Every structure is written in structure tokens, then in C-alpha cells.
Amino acid sequence: MKAIVIGATGTIGSAVTKTLKESGYDVIPVSRNSSIKADIEDEGSLDKLLEQSGKVDAIISTAGFAAFGELSKLTGEDFRRSLNSKLMGQVKLLQKGLSYLNAGGTILLTGGIFAHKPWPGTAAIAMVNTGLEGFVRAAALETDEDKKVIVIHPPLVAETAVTLGMDASPYLSAIEVGKFYLEAIQNGKSGVPFLVQEKK
Ligand SMILES: NC(=O)c1ccc[n+]([C@@H]2O[C@H](COP(=O)([O-])OP(=O)(O)OC[C@H]3O[C@@H](n4cnc5c(N)ncnc54)[C@H](OP(=O)(O)O)[C@@H]3O)[C@@H](O)[C@H]2O)c1
């Protein structure tokens, strides 16, 4: 089984990469600055990556920027950057990736829990995450029955909480969240958003 992980050097992506490797996947780790490079905002780089990788069993994105900020302070540029990166980057990845997916394969995009439970300051992020959900729900209707397209909504992870100066104890670690990515690939339903349960 072969998987591409775009965003593989990040907090969630490195955990997803580790989990997939441990479960037997041959993982192609990708980011803008890793040895295998692609930028989800650059369609040409996605074409090149997919041509070089060939057919795979899973394409996972844990990449993309969306702006955090108070509604009154978010600029048009903040919204445009969020749309171009996390939303359109992953939209293009899914469109292009489908023809490189083996039967039984999954494309898994990353949204986030702010799609369903926003906090103040997350208007641009929630907009993108919810947009991804609508896109994937509709894309599933045009996806071969033997392939799956899913958006996963992780909660805030403990490592990120720490970098934000927050108490990490209410949050799952990245490695715990990474296991839900494998669960989504194995048991998620095409077009149905995969919500990661929060820490009890
Ligand atoms: N961390 C959380 O608590 C959390 C919770 C819910 C949802 N999310 C979402 O999960 C995703 C990953 O979050 P994270 O915290 O793991 O981020 P992160 O630590 O900043 O890692 C992002 C990863 O994506 C790569 N990347 C960024 N922009 C890219 C692009 N345009 N093309 C290709 N690769 C790109 C980065 O490497 P390069 O810089 O080398 O490209 C890095 O490998 C984000 O969409 C975030 O909104 C995160």
C-alpha cells in the first residue's frame, strides 16, 4: 500500500506519516521544503508530484494556511490567502489526485473542528473548513464507487495548544489524532465528514 502525505513535516502530518508507516504503508512524504517537494497552491507542482509518484492507495493532505484573526481585523488579503491555500489547494489536489488513485483508495483532506464548533477569531478558518466539507460531499457524488473522498475535522491538538500558550491537557496529542486519519482511510464513508472525537 502506497500513500502520499502532503504536509508530512507538520504537527499533524508527521504523526499521520508515522501512523501510516507503522501500519505498513509505503509513505511518500511531501511539503514545500522537504526533499520531495510540492506546493498545493502550485498546480504544476501537484501534476509533477502525481506523475512521479504514480498510482497510490491514499492521498492525504495535512497542508494549507487559513488566517486566524478577529472578524473586524481580517483583511481581504487574509480571506484570499485562506481560500487560495487551504481551500483551493486541497480542491485542486483532490481533482488531480483522483486519476492517480488505485481502486479501493482514499483521498483525505484536512478541515478542522472550527467548521462545526467555531471560536471567536476563526471566521476565515471556519469558512474554509466548511467550504471543504461542501466540496467533498458533492465531489463524492462524482467519484467512482470503489474510491473514497473524505474531509477530516481534527480538533485543536495538544502540541498546537502549547505553542499558543494554552493548557494542553484538554486536547489529544498529534499522534492520537494521526490514528484517526488511518481510521478515516480504513472505515470512513465517502463524502461524509470525519469528525475526530475530542478528548474525554
Ligand atoms: N494543529 C492543530 O491543532 C489543527 C487542528 C485542526 C485543524 N488543523 C489543520 O490541519 C492542517 C495542518 O495543521 P498543522 O498544525 O499540522 O500545521 P503545521 O504544523 O504548520 O504543518 C503544515 C505542513 O504543511 C506543509 N505546507 C504548508 N503549506 C503548504 C503548501 N502550500 N503546500 C504544501 N505543503 C504545505 C508544511 O511544510 P512546508 O512549510 O515545508 O511546506 C508542513 O509540513 C492545517 O490545515 C490546519 O488548519 C490543525
Side-chain angles (χ1 to χ4, degrees), residues 6-13 30-34 38-41 62-66 85-86 90 110-113 125 129 153-158 160-161 181:
I6 303 191
T9 56
T11 308
I12 294 179
V30 182
S31 81
R32 293 168 300 186
N33 298 296
S34 53
D39 181 343
I40 58 169
E41 293 187 60
T62 58
F65 167 82
S85 178
K86 188 171 177 181
Q90 295 193 96
T110 296
I113 196 60
I125 302 173
N129 293 352
H153 291 312
L156 184 71
V157 301
T160 302
Y181 277 68

Side-chain angles (χ1 to χ4, degrees), residues 17-148:
T17 299
K18 184 170 188 290
T19 299
L20 289 180
K21 280 185 178 168
E22 284 171 0
S23 74
Y25 276 86
D26 176 11
V27 177
I28 301 168
V30 182
S31 81
R32 293 168 300 186
N33 298 296
S34 53
S35 57
I36 305 171
K37 296 187 196 332
D39 181 343
I40 58 169
E41 293 187 60
D42 174 354
E43 289 193 41
S45 78
L46 292 178
D47 290 333
K48 198 169 151 203
L49 171 71
L50 292 164
E51 278 160 24
Q52 285 175 351
S53 307
K55 288 230 173 186
V56 296
D57 303 290
I59 299 174
I60 297 118
S61 165
T62 58
F65 167 82
F68 185 84
E70 275 178 47
L71 182 60
S72 62
K73 296 195 177 129
L74 284 169
T75 63
E77 184 55 18
D78 290 330
F79 282 110
R80 266 189 299 280
R81 280 187 64 208
S82 307
L83 291 168
N84 287 342
S85 178
K86 188 171 177 181
L87 181 65
M88 282 312 299
Q90 295 193 96
V91 164
K92 282 290 161 195
L93 176 67
L94 185 148
Q95 267 190 309
K96 290 174 183 293
L98 274 175
S99 50
Y100 288 88
L101 205 57
N102 285 325
T106 303
I107 297 184
L108 185 58
L109 306 183
T110 296
I113 196 60
F114 293 146
H116 291 256
K117 291 185 182 173
W119 293 353
T122 65
I125 302 173
M127 172 189 73
V128 164
N129 293 352
T130 312
L132 282 165
E133 188 174 309
F135 165 70
V136 171
R137 205 187 293 279
L141 303 176
E142 297 181 50
T143 298
D144 295 344
E145 278 186 12
D146 59 0
K147 296 176 184 173
K148 298 194 292 189

Side-chain angles (χ1 to χ4, degrees), residues 124-191:
I125 302 173
M127 172 189 73
V128 164
N129 293 352
T130 312
L132 282 165
E133 188 174 309
F135 165 70
V136 171
R137 205 187 293 279
L141 303 176
E142 297 181 50
T143 298
D144 295 344
E145 278 186 12
D146 59 0
K147 296 176 184 173
K148 298 194 292 189
V149 291
I150 300 174
V151 61
I152 185 168
H153 291 312
L156 184 71
V157 301
E159 289 84 344
T160 302
V162 168
T163 65
L164 295 173
M166 296 166 58
D167 171 16
S169 60
Y171 303 106
L172 296 174
S173 66
I175 203 71
E176 288 171 312
V177 167
K179 293 196 171 106
F180 284 97
Y181 277 68
L182 180 61
E183 168 76 14
I185 291 168
Q186 291 175 333
N187 299 319
K189 289 199 171 62
S190 193

